[in-house]
Amino acid sequence: MTRSSERDKHTGRYVPDDLDRRIIAYLRADGRASLSKIADALGVARGTVQGRLDRLLETGTLLGFTARVREDYDANAVRAVMMIEVVGKSTTQVIRKLRGMTEIHALHTTNGNWDLVADIRADNLSEFDRILREIRLIDGISNSETSLLLSSV
């Protein structure tokens, strides 16, 4: 159980401290690092790292661990950013539908002319075309603009 001083007084959410942030940063660089390796690198006990990781996972601050692959791992993969305009008060419904699509790796609300930004990843152009059509058919989406990501610089 977390102490009250570790929770935001307005939202009640767990607020990571400096050690938590350093553990997360270490895991971002090496998600396969052992508890002992992290503890040694950060100058704390292995049990401290284990306890912090348990709390970060329990509070939902840390959602899990993923594998990172080389940029050129799958040369046929298609990545894009889609800007989406939503009609009226249907944003919640649109978000719910978009979150159910496995090809959408991240979804963000934004300001300005667009309401949402979707990070889309597809295995190939045919799959990319299919997902674009599916997104455009969602009730509540009035307009979209999509840009393919060609290379990282």
Side-chain angles (χ1 to χ4, degrees), residues 67-85:
R68 295 182 314 161
V69 296
R70 286 188 334 258
E71 179 84 21
D72 62 348
Y73 169 74
D74 186 359
N76 294 324
V78 178
R79 289 195 57 207
V81 175
M82 177 183 258
M83 310 296 277
I84 301 168
E85 182 180 359

Side-chain angles (χ1 to χ4, degrees), residues 82-101:
M82 177 183 258
M83 310 296 277
I84 301 168
E85 182 180 359
V86 178
V87 175
K89 298 179 181 182
S90 59
T91 304
T92 303
Q93 169 194 327
V94 170
I95 289 172
R96 194 175 303 120
K97 294 227 180 194
L98 290 171
R99 279 190 175 158
M101 300 176 137

Side-chain angles (χ1 to χ4, degrees), residues 31-82:
R32 295 186 54 178
S34 68
L35 293 174
S36 298
K37 186 174 180 182
I38 297 169
D40 287 346
L42 301 181
V44 298
R46 183 186 178 284
T48 300
V49 173
Q50 180 66 64
R52 293 299 184 107
L53 282 175
D54 290 345
R55 184 172 46 201
L56 290 168
L57 288 164
E58 176 186 310
T59 61
T61 303
L62 187 60
L63 298 176
F65 304 87
T66 61
R68 295 182 314 161
V69 296
R70 286 188 334 258
E71 179 84 21
D72 62 348
Y73 169 74
D74 186 359
N76 294 324
V78 178
R79 289 195 57 207
V81 175
M82 177 183 258

Side-chain angles (χ1 to χ4, degrees), residues 5 13 26 31 38-39 49 64 74 96 106 129 137 139 144-146:
S5 63
R13 287 186 179 169
Y26 198 93
I38 297 169
V49 173
D74 186 359
R96 194 175 303 120
D129 184 43
L137 290 174
D139 285 335
S144 67
E145 181 178 321
T146 305

